[in-house]
Amino acid sequence: MSKRKIQPSPSVPTEVLATDAEPTQAGRKRAKRASAPAAEQPAFTPPYPPSWYDRLARQIDRLPGPSWLAYLLLGLAGVFVLTGVQMLAGTYHPGKYLALHLFLGSQFAYLLGLMRLLDRSAAAALETFRPVLDLPRRSREVPADKGSSLEELRYRLTTLPPWPTLWASLAGVLVGLVAPLLVFRIPGTTAHSLAAAFAWGRMSTSPGAMAAFLIQMAFSEAVAGVFIYHSIHQLREISRIYLTFARLNLYRLQPLYAFSVPAALTSGGLILYNYAWFAVAPEFLTQPISIALGVFFATVAAVIFAWPLLGIHRRLVAEKRGALAESARRFEAAVTELHQRVDKKALTKMDDLNKALSSLEIERAALQRIPTWPWEAGTLRGVAATLVLPLVIWLVQYILQRILP
């Protein structure tokens, strides 16, 4: 039997048959070029490992149910531990200090939940900020310390470095627990005995109960120290993003307002914590250390809101001045043209020049109305109300107590 050589059909191009059989050289080149950009993108490597707080928060996030419920149950568990130890140590009659005991037992859960809320708020703000985010192009040729990616910015916003977090925890214990115990005075006396302080607060003075309470308070103050460092770290990152990666457009300011939300939440959360402390223990208003801490936290809360937004405010001011100067230059050119036409008595087609002058006036008025602080008016009112309203209520109550019998 003779072998016949199969010829391609004239109606079918030879290139198609070659493609079906095996990739052509041109096809292989196109595939290589298509896969090249993906290969150039380096895999994200975290700049530092997560802190003990981040590992704890991720474990809580893995629990079934909503996160707010987990933190609520965590606060209730803290209250049960505090009150349960006191009951086991003997008769427990907290009296008017029950609210203080509830606060002391649950404060760590409030701060942990607040930090997690701030992390999620910052991550959401970064997504809202993306339309004006100007990131350098990263590749394998660009060192990691000379570029930033969206993943790196998100990681830095929502994750704390381990060693500074540990030092912040120790500082929180020192400032929030050790120092107050050394300078605390029972109201109306000069005594500063630890057992007398426990008795004054309707707490058990047995060594076991006192030790358990101090351990629980040490953890709470360590969390408070982490919260302070968390606020500084996150707001510093927000300021860095504004100063380094924000692409300004005076007519597109809405994305720039994104990071005012986590700043406002940080400030408001700290203010609420401060006021809750004095609400559950008004006797502490007579303690110098309590007053000092209260003034410190109130000042920090006010600064926290404006500090990370100050850099972008200055950039917006400079951008606005430049736009106004350019508008003024063009208006001056239009006025010069108008004078030249009047001097030459060339008064034809003055309607176009009149429209140009009117348009430039409208542009200048619009530029002058553009705000340079990156927040919504409602956000600022909310922070101001949270800061000032409780002070006003307390002042009114104080005056009424002095006036009324």
Side-chain angles (χ1 to χ4, degrees):
M1 181 182 293
S2 61
K3 296 182 180 179
R4 293 186 301 169
K5 186 176 181 180
I6 300 177
Q7 298 293 335
S9 173
S11 61
V12 181
T14 307
E15 291 81 358
V16 174
L17 295 178
T19 303
D20 291 340
E22 59 177 319
T24 63
Q25 185 177 2
R28 287 194 296 270
K29 289 182 178 179
R30 285 194 297 268
K32 185 177 181 180
R33 287 196 300 267
S35 61
E40 288 180 0
Q41 294 298 329
F44 171 67
T45 302
Y48 49 81
S51 66
W52 70 262
Y53 152 72
D54 296 292
R55 293 194 294 269
L56 175 61
R58 290 168 187 173
Q59 291 296 327
I60 295 175
D61 288 343
R62 294 191 182 100
L63 296 176
S67 297
W68 65 265
L69 181 60
Y71 288 104
L72 176 61
L73 295 177
L74 194 61
L76 292 175
V79 171
F80 289 149
V81 168
L82 189 148
T83 57
V85 170
Q86 296 300 315
M87 291 178 181
L88 291 175
T91 305
Y92 178 56
H93 298 294
K96 65 179 181 178
Y97 295 107
L98 177 61
L100 175 61
H101 295 177
L102 297 178
F103 175 84
L104 293 177
S106 60
Q107 61 175 330
F108 75 98
Y110 168 79
L111 294 175
L112 287 174
L114 178 58
M115 284 189 285
R116 205 57 180 158
L117 173 64
L118 294 175
D119 289 340
R120 293 175 177 175
S121 175
L126 183 61
E127 291 300 318
T128 305
F129 192 78
R130 286 184 68 175
V132 294
L133 190 62
D134 187 15
L135 291 174
R137 186 177 181 274
R138 292 180 60 119
S139 65
R140 295 189 184 277
E141 290 76 18
V142 179
D145 58 349
K146 293 185 179 180
S148 292
S149 64
L150 183 65
E151 293 80 6
E152 182 177 345
L153 293 181
R154 185 183 296 111
Y155 187 88
R156 290 182 179 276
L157 277 172
T158 59
T159 308
L160 296 177
W163 285 107
T165 304
L166 180 60
W167 288 115
S169 306
L170 298 177
V173 175
L174 180 63
V175 175
L177 182 64
V178 177
L181 288 177
L182 294 177
V183 300
F184 178 79
R185 298 291 186 275
I186 298 176
T189 69
T190 59
H192 61 277
S193 168
L194 184 60
F198 271 74
W200 173 80
R202 302 293 181 89
M203 307 284 287
S204 174
T205 56
S206 68
M210 292 172 62
F213 176 79
L214 291 177
I215 291 173
Q216 187 173 359
M217 289 304 99
F219 177 71
S220 296
E221 297 306 324
V223 173
V226 173
F227 172 74
I228 296 297
Y229 174 66
H230 178 279
S231 301
I232 295 173
H233 171 84
Q234 189 175 83
L235 297 176
R236 185 175 56 195
E237 287 299 316
I238 290 175
S239 178
R240 186 176 74 93
I241 291 173
Y242 270 138
L243 291 175
T244 310
F245 304 112
R247 183 172 56 251
L248 297 188
N249 185 343
L250 292 177
Y251 300 103
R252 195 180 184 185
L253 295 179
Q254 197 65 32
L256 293 178
Y257 298 161
F259 286 114
S260 66
V261 176
L265 289 175
T266 306
S267 178
L270 187 58
I271 292 170
L272 291 177
Y273 178 83
N274 190 32
Y275 286 148
W277 168 255
F278 290 110
V280 300
E283 293 86 354
F284 288 162
L285 288 172
T286 61
Q287 295 291 322
I289 185 64
S290 296
I291 295 175
L293 288 175
V295 172
F296 169 75
F297 281 120
T299 304
V300 168
V303 172
I304 274 175
F305 179 64
W307 166 54
L309 311 178
L310 184 60
I312 191 64
H313 163 69
R314 291 172 177 169
R315 288 188 62 189
L316 286 172
V317 168
E319 189 79 7
K320 183 175 178 178
R321 286 175 179 170
L324 286 171
E326 181 65 18
S327 178
R329 185 191 64 78
R330 293 178 178 177
F331 189 85
E332 181 183 10
V335 170
T336 302
E337 176 68 18
L338 173 65
H339 292 171
Q340 290 176 354
R341 290 191 184 187
V342 171
D343 294 341
K344 295 179 181 178
K345 295 185 169 40
L347 303 181
T348 58
K349 298 183 180 180
M350 292 292 288
D351 186 56
D352 293 340
L353 186 57
N354 181 55
K355 290 179 180 178
L357 289 169
S358 299
S359 298
L360 289 171
E361 287 181 355
I362 294 173
E363 179 195 36
R364 183 173 182 83
L367 286 172
Q368 289 176 337
R369 290 194 300 268
I370 292 177
T372 56
W373 282 104
W375 57 54
E376 299 278 4
T379 304
L380 180 61
R381 287 195 296 268
V383 173
T386 306
L387 180 62
V388 175
L389 185 59
L391 291 176
V392 173
I393 295 175
W394 175 82
L395 183 61
V396 170
Q397 290 177 343
Y398 178 80
I399 294 174
L400 291 177
Q401 290 175 357
R402 292 286 182 174
I403 296 176
L404 298 178

